[in-house]
Amino acid sequence: MTQVQFGFTMPADQLDKARQRTYVDDLNRALTLINGHFDSAWFIDHLQFGDTGVLEGFTALSYIAALHPPLKFGHTVLCQSFRNPALLAKMGATLQFLSGGRFLLGLGAGWHEEEYHAYGYDFPPAGVRVQQLEETLQIIKAMWAEKQASFEGTYYRVTEAYCEPKPDPLPPIMVGAFGPKMLRLTAKYADGWNVSSTGIHPYRHLVAEFERACAEVGRDPATVRRSWCGGCICAPTQAQAEQLAGERYRMDDDDFSFVGTPKRVVEQMRAFIDLGVDYFMVDCGGFPNLTTLELLVSEVIPVLNHRVATI
């Protein structure tokens, strides 16, 4: 059986103003706790949600990655619109070099219109953003693999661009995808396919769509790693878990989170594992409360990987 791995989605938005002075210390406690149990830690990539506190994703990731060398680090997912593709390739290569090969590249087409307008970015239709993402992926792959990269697309271009030192090893590329065009793009270019906050019923449909997209581009779907990203609230009792979840973490198919006791969370996750998911990137509510992380480490991960008797 393939080992199930976990990533911790670090809180980077809706930061509690009263706790901002202790944020780094609180985050370090969480990352120290998961060391040796989780594979990775992740930041989102947003610029604003109204006037709530939001950290810039690449700056935050680079700083925290330097503090915790045992873990890999990535974004869920980088918005391709925010950074020139060649610059992004250079940033990723630089972080891969400085971190000793611990960078994971997550990419998406962007969606949050408010931040585009607020920060002076154009917000083109979804179809255009998908085309821009495809050009971004082509440029990044060329910059990382070729001695000099040249590319002339509809939206982006590079001319005899060097990207030295090359990233070694190449960071895995994960794409967040739901719609047909994005699923096809993922099947064509990505090492990993990620979905967020998706219940088991729509996920079954997405798997069928993704495997159809793989067939269309001639890709074996087994060569694309499947990950799930979203909320996870775990507590000794169901009532405690639901109280900790509050309104933000729900259990309906349209905005799904894992909520419950360790036994219940294991049951929920196994349904996704049966459909090929072997990587869970979890946003644990209640931060800096570490109850969820503690129970994942002690009672969920060992069971999923058969290191203790089934609970």
Side-chain angles (χ1 to χ4, degrees):
M1 177 182 172
T2 302
Q3 184 180 27
V4 178
Q5 293 183 300
F6 276 69
F8 172 44
T9 303
M10 298 174 283
D13 67 326
Q14 300 187 29
L15 297 182
D16 185 343
K17 287 182 172 56
R19 290 189 176 273
Q20 287 181 13
R21 290 185 179 180
T22 63
Y23 171 79
V24 174
D25 289 340
D26 292 333
L27 188 56
N28 284 333
R29 284 193 303 111
L31 293 170
T32 299
L33 171 64
I34 66 173
N35 181 23
H37 305 281
F38 278 49
D39 179 64
S40 60
W42 304 76
F43 273 120
I44 61 167
D45 186 39
H46 285 291
L47 301 174
Q48 77 169 46
F49 288 93
D51 65 350
T52 62
V54 180
L55 300 180
E56 193 284 313
F58 221 102
T59 309
L61 189 84
S62 301
Y63 177 79
I64 296 298
L67 299 181
H68 295 273
L71 292 165
K72 300 171 188 171
F73 286 86
H75 299 90
T76 64
V77 290
L78 287 167
C79 175
Q80 62 84 22
S81 306
F82 293 163
R83 301 164 189 87
N84 171 279
L87 175 61
L88 179 56
K90 185 69 171 180
M91 293 168 70
T94 299
L95 185 53
Q96 185 74 331
F97 175 77
L98 293 175
S99 69
R102 295 183 292 121
F103 177 56
L104 307 167
L105 177 60
L107 276 172
W111 62 271
H112 188 43
E113 185 173 359
E114 171 197 337
E115 61 193 352
Y116 276 75
H117 294 316
Y119 276 73
Y121 292 102
D122 294 334
F123 186 70
V128 171
R129 299 199 308 277
V130 172
Q131 292 173 31
Q132 291 173 333
L133 176 58
E134 181 164 18
E135 291 187 9
T136 293
L137 285 162
Q138 291 173 297
I139 289 171
I140 290 172
K141 282 177 168 282
M143 295 273 293
W144 285 355
E146 300 171 11
K147 183 172 180 61
Q148 277 185 288
S150 294
F151 176 88
E152 185 74 33
T154 303
Y155 303 100
Y156 304 120
R157 71 179 185 276
V158 292
T159 305
E160 298 182 353
Y162 288 101
C163 183
E164 297 291 344
K166 297 288 188 218
D168 183 22
L170 291 175
I173 296 176
M174 177 191 75
V175 174
F178 292 90
K181 293 180 180 179
M182 285 292 292
L183 290 171
R184 184 180 176 88
L185 182 151
T186 303
K188 190 174 181 180
Y189 295 101
D191 302 298
W193 169 42
N194 185 57
V195 301
S196 59
S197 304
T198 302
I200 191 62
H201 301 299
Y203 188 69
R204 286 195 182 97
H205 173 73
L206 284 173
V207 167
E209 292 294 318
F210 178 66
E211 291 181 350
R212 186 159 33 249
C214 286
E216 290 174 357
V217 302
R219 180 81 178 270
D220 179 357
T223 64
V224 185
R225 191 170 198 184
R226 298 178 189 180
S227 60
W228 184 97
C229 175
C232 182
I233 309 296
C234 193
T237 70
Q238 186 69 30
Q240 288 173 319
E242 292 177 4
Q243 182 179 18
L244 190 59
E247 292 297 318
R248 181 171 179 176
Y249 301 89
R250 300 198 297 273
M251 290 181 286
D252 58 83
D253 274 349
D254 294 331
D255 191 9
F256 181 81
S257 298
F258 299 112
V259 178
T261 63
K263 181 178 180 179
R264 178 59 179 145
V265 169
V266 165
E267 292 170 350
Q268 292 172 321
M269 288 184 172
R270 277 181 173 156
F272 287 88
I273 293 169
D274 289 343
L275 292 173
V277 173
D278 66 1
Y279 211 106
F280 293 97
M281 298 144 65
V282 290
D283 169 11
C284 302
F287 181 83
N289 182 312
L290 302 183
T291 299
T292 293
L293 286 176
E294 290 168 349
L295 290 174
L296 289 175
V297 164
S298 64
E299 299 190 38
V300 173
I301 296 174
V303 171
L304 289 176
N305 288 319
H306 300 290
R307 293 202 294 268
V308 298
T310 303
I311 54 179

